Amino acid sequence: MPGGKVVVYTGILPITKDEISLAVVLGHEIAHAIAEHGNERMSEGLLQQLGGVALSVALKDKPQLTQDLFLTAYGVGSTIGILSFSRTHESEADHLGLIFMAMAGYNPNTAVNFWQRMADMKTGQQPPEFLSTHPSDQTRINDIKKWLPEAMKYYNN
Ligand SMILES: [Zn+2]
């Protein structure tokens, strides 16, 4: 959120179940805040909006069908752009989040089980907000396993 605050909805608690899994979520969200993903996403959204407006103005004397085709093409292109961009953000937040939770004294190995639980949840009923904005897939879990040795260096027990 603006100002670098992180808010946790109670809807995530039945999935985190315990403190250490909540540390996975908080590490991930703090990483988004530290890396200022919110700001980037906001300015990217604004650029996309302005781009759309400029295109509408430029096309205003063209026949309706041409306008629709251009705007559809533009819309599809920019949606794909945003998706790949936020996947990079997610990956970055996963990576930094593991290190942050380890620094805070929580075993980063827990992240594997947590994201697996998230992946299982997604195939079930209506997901809470965090799930719908946070893709959980095998790639993410594999990446986390790859980063664990690095994160473990920050974990002292
Ligand atoms: Zn995220």
Side-chain angles (χ1 to χ4, degrees):
M1 296 186 77
K5 291 195 169 52
V6 172
V7 172
V8 178
Y9 289 98
T10 53
I12 195 75
L13 298 180
I15 308 155
T16 54
K17 294 185 199 296
D18 50 23
E19 186 182 326
I20 187 161
S21 294
L22 187 59
V24 177
V25 173
L26 284 176
H28 178 98
E29 291 305 321
I30 288 166
H32 275 310
I34 299 275
E36 298 193 318
H37 290 163
N39 292 343
E40 282 175 38
R41 208 172 291 168
M42 206 175 294
S43 50
E44 190 184 282
L46 191 64
L47 273 178
Q48 189 199 22
Q49 235 179 337
L50 289 176
V53 170
L55 197 55
S56 299
V57 171
L59 289 172
K60 80 179 180 355
D61 295 326
K62 302 273 184 263
Q64 189 59 45
L65 183 64
T66 315
Q67 280 196 32
D68 289 348
L69 280 174
F70 267 94
L71 291 176
T72 303
Y74 175 81
V76 168
S78 50
T79 303
I80 292 166
I82 293 233
L83 279 180
S84 62
F85 200 64
S86 64
R87 226 172 267 142
T88 308
H89 280 175
E90 284 309 306
S91 188
E92 203 177 9
D94 282 343
H95 188 180
L96 288 174
L98 282 181
I99 290 165
F100 290 155
M101 76 176 288
M103 287 171 100
Y106 296 98
N107 190 332
N109 284 291
T110 316
V112 174
N113 287 337
F114 170 73
W115 287 111
Q116 189 56 60
R117 238 172 12 246
M118 291 275 283
D120 296 344
M121 273 290 293
K122 268 200 134 180
T123 53
Q125 75 277 35
Q126 183 75 7
E129 182 67 20
F130 183 83
L131 293 189
S132 61
T133 57
H134 289 80
S136 356
D137 51 29
Q138 205 50 50
T139 310
R140 149 173 273 160
I141 292 166
N142 290 342
D143 282 345
I144 286 172
K145 284 178 179 163
K146 203 173 63 198
W147 294 320
L148 274 174
E150 183 198 358
M152 282 305 281
K153 287 187 220 152
Y154 296 88
Y155 176 64
N156 305 307
N157 46 4

